[in-house]
Amino acid sequence: MTQFQTLPLDAAVLKSLDQMGYHEMTPIQEMAIPKLLTGQDFLGQAPTGTGKTAAFGIPLISRLQAGSGTIDALILGPTRELVQQIAEELNRIGAEKGIQALPIFGGENVFVQKEALRERKAQIIVGTPGRVLDHIGQVTMDLSQTRMVILDEADEMLDMGFRPDIESIFKHLPGGRETWLFSATVSPEIRKIADQYMYHPEEVRIQPQTKTAENIQQMYYVVKDEEKHRLLRQIVKEHPDMYGIVFCQTKRDVVLLTRKMRDYYPIDCLHGAMAQGDRDQVMDAFRSGKLKLLVSTDIMARGIDVDNLTHVINYSPPHDPESYIHRIGRTARKGETGVAMTFFNPFEKRALEQLERRVKMGLQKHPSCELEFEDAPPKGFGRYQGQGNSGFSHGRGGQKPNGHNPNGQKRRPRRSGNPNPVAGQTGGTSSPSSAES
Ligand code: ADP
Ligand code: MG
């Protein structure tokens, strides 16, 4: 991966990126930024979570002159949340340069937005199409100087029926502008927009990753949930130099596991309820090697770029193959080798099979693992009994898989088609993101 430093970016932007902890470019950024710095229409397709916001935000802010007093760029996004997120990211990128982005969306106090527009401090407007059109209609938004228009998450905007609004907005924009379009997918409808409103766009497509790095040795264990922490202990005993990340499904799993492991290994955790100062402290200790194992959830581990990690351990299999690929990619960076170990409980054979299909390779069962997969219990069988226990100690006891629910507690049916039946098993938490908040 290439460093941002190697690009001819504005020095103030580079400084902001450094403060944000952005050092290396993601693939879409690597492909898009050099082109967008030169100025041309652009159509970028890349899967969700690959850094598309910064792929346009960095060259955009790098090219703008601070203090123009005009709306130089207009960004359209599908929802209030995304608009806010985009504006936040742009404001971070533009912090050192003094370039501001103003989010505009429905449901917000129109007066406040009008006031902000009147102040003319924001050179970038980020808005939902409907609300942007409202402001154009009321002449509160002067787009006569707008040179760049960016459609972000274009597929979602079109799915939500924003096409007429987008087309109306285009009619109000000066000619000779640049149009950039970013999307996770490119449908025929997006094609039409590109043909109609873009001038010979440069097209870049980053395929979703399906194959994982070959220098990562991928292994799995079949292990009962209540045995997982003992297995982890045994693994660290066998690998005294282990330096890695253990991924858990929920914050609760993270905390409980860390507690159980503390006496055995230099380990600490990262989770959403920690104060920023504590998180930074843990990350510093981990980066410096003082901590050898970091226990975390997917969400918290996002953006952790630590070199020389020897192991990634999936304490439970991730929700989806993308997440698996993302997790194990934390090791074996820069051509080094690494080991990924995934713990499946005896009923998660399907999760393993689905993973192998999607990553297009077989995972190797660890030679020391003797336990076999068992047939999945009948639908609705209470492997989720004992709600409120942690992810690894909600024991089935020694129950046979086809046995009955011994204590008649709440059952939680397994959703069919869910690649990972572990999801949502703990403490009433139903998704990893809600576990984070
Ligand atoms: P997309 O729009 O492609 O779904 P986002 O732009 O929302 O993805 O980025 C996903 C996450 O990756 C965000 O949390 C963002 O802060 C982070 N990110 C983006 N680029 C980088 C980078 N170069 N280095 C580190 N983190 C990054
Ligand atoms: Mg995005």
Side-chain angles (χ1 to χ4, degrees), residues 232-272:
L232 185 61
R233 242 182 257 166
Q234 183 193 320
I235 293 172
V236 299
K237 219 155 84 189
E238 285 163 10
H239 300 89
D241 294 327
M242 174 181 292
Y243 180 33
I245 303 180
V246 183
F247 285 99
C248 292
Q249 209 69 259
T250 65
K251 194 156 69 191
R252 188 187 167 83
D253 294 351
V254 165
V255 171
L256 291 175
L257 174 63
T258 308
R259 238 180 251 157
K260 291 199 178 187
M261 290 291 296
R262 250 193 195 130
D263 297 337
Y264 296 88
Y265 210 66
I267 189 170
D268 212 334
C269 63
L270 211 58
H271 62 77

Side-chain angles (χ1 to χ4, degrees), residues 9-23:
L9 290 171
D10 186 288
V13 170
L14 282 173
K15 194 166 169 201
S16 293
L17 291 177
D18 197 49
Q19 285 163 2
M20 290 163 73
Y22 287 18
H23 303 294

Side-chain angles (χ1 to χ4, degrees), residues 47-54 56 82 85-86 152-153 182:
T48 304
T50 54
K52 292 190 286 296
T53 316
F56 62 77
L82 275 166
Q85 233 179 74
I86 296 164
D152 192 23
E153 314 286 353
F182 283 82

Side-chain angles (χ1 to χ4, degrees), residues 111-132:
F111 179 74
V112 174
Q113 292 177 7
K114 279 186 187 166
E115 269 308 299
L117 283 166
R118 206 167 292 140
E119 284 178 24
R120 290 176 174 272
K121 279 201 194 121
Q123 293 174 242
I124 304 170
I125 300 293
V126 192
T128 50
R131 181 45 59 105
V132 167

Side-chain angles (χ1 to χ4, degrees), residues 111-410:
F111 179 74
V112 174
Q113 292 177 7
K114 279 186 187 166
E115 269 308 299
L117 283 166
R118 206 167 292 140
E119 284 178 24
R120 290 176 174 272
K121 279 201 194 121
Q123 293 174 242
I124 304 170
I125 300 293
V126 192
T128 50
R131 181 45 59 105
V132 167
L133 207 54
D134 285 351
H135 280 281
I136 293 176
Q138 297 175 30
V139 212
T140 35
M141 191 185 287
D142 176 7
L143 297 178
S144 64
Q145 306 300 313
T146 305
R147 289 172 291 133
M148 285 136 158
V149 182
I150 299 158
L151 306 183
D152 192 23
E153 314 286 353
D155 47 358
E156 280 192 51
M157 279 199 287
L158 294 176
D159 282 351
M160 292 171 70
F162 278 130
R163 180 169 180 167
D165 286 354
I166 293 170
E167 294 190 316
S168 303
I169 293 169
F170 272 130
K171 292 198 186 97
H172 286 91
L173 293 169
R177 59 160 196 272
E178 275 172 54
T179 308
W180 304 347
L181 186 153
F182 283 82
S183 191
T185 55
V186 172
S187 62
E189 212 183 352
I190 290 187
R191 273 271 147 243
K192 260 190 235 161
I193 295 250
D195 290 344
Q196 213 169 336
Y197 297 98
M198 296 169 80
Y199 180 74
H200 295 305
E202 179 85 38
E203 292 194 21
V204 158
R205 190 164 299 198
I206 305 289
Q207 295 297 345
Q209 247 181 322
T210 48
K211 204 165 183 313
T212 45
E214 269 151 25
N215 45 352
I216 302 175
Q217 195 187 354
Q218 297 176 60
M219 283 187 296
Y220 73 90
Y221 289 87
V222 183
V223 52
K224 288 183 180 158
D225 289 319
E226 62 271 26
E227 294 293 332
K228 283 180 174 179
H229 67 279
R230 273 188 281 273
L231 173 60
L232 185 61
R233 242 182 257 166
Q234 183 193 320
I235 293 172
V236 299
K237 219 155 84 189
E238 285 163 10
H239 300 89
D241 294 327
M242 174 181 292
Y243 180 33
I245 303 180
V246 183
F247 285 99
C248 292
Q249 209 69 259
T250 65
K251 194 156 69 191
R252 188 187 167 83
D253 294 351
V254 165
V255 171
L256 291 175
L257 174 63
T258 308
R259 238 180 251 157
K260 291 199 178 187
M261 290 291 296
R262 250 193 195 130
D263 297 337
Y264 296 88
Y265 210 66
I267 189 170
D268 212 334
C269 63
L270 211 58
H271 62 77
M274 284 165 67
Q276 188 63 47
D278 294 338
R279 287 188 208 172
D280 292 347
Q281 222 169 16
V282 168
M283 269 318 293
D284 286 347
F286 186 53
R287 249 183 249 285
S288 72
K290 209 155 52 182
L291 281 177
K292 303 291 272 179
L293 268 185
L294 187 68
V295 187
S296 174
T297 56
D298 279 310
I299 292 164
M300 288 308 297
R302 219 185 253 177
I304 295 177
D305 51 339
V306 176
D307 290 336
N308 306 314
L309 293 184
T310 60
H311 286 73
V312 167
I313 294 174
N314 296 311
Y315 201 71
S316 46
H319 268 287
D320 55 71
E322 294 297 322
S323 164
Y324 175 81
I325 292 162
H326 189 71
R327 286 181 181 186
I328 72 169
R330 302 295 158 151
T331 184
R333 290 154 65 89
K334 300 176 180 157
E336 294 153 4
T337 56
V339 180
M341 297 189 186
T342 304
F343 295 179
F344 292 92
N345 77 34
F347 303 130
E348 289 173 327
K349 186 173 185 185
R350 260 192 52 201
L352 170 65
E353 288 168 350
Q354 285 181 337
L355 201 62
E356 288 182 322
R357 266 202 302 280
R358 284 290 299 273
V359 302
K360 293 189 175 136
M361 64 186 288
L363 271 61
Q364 185 195 336
K365 190 173 176 187
H366 195 278
S368 74
C369 172
E370 285 167 7
L371 202 62
E372 301 285 345
F373 282 113
E374 295 175 35
D375 288 336
K379 214 169 175 220
F381 172 75
R383 89 165 263 271
Y384 303 136
Q385 69 220 13
Q387 298 288 322
N389 280 341
S390 75
F392 46 83
S393 59
H394 61 80
R396 300 173 25 251
Q399 281 293 315
K400 285 269 176 348
N402 54 357
H404 59 282
N405 186 339
N407 44 15
Q409 284 185 6
K410 260 192 287 179

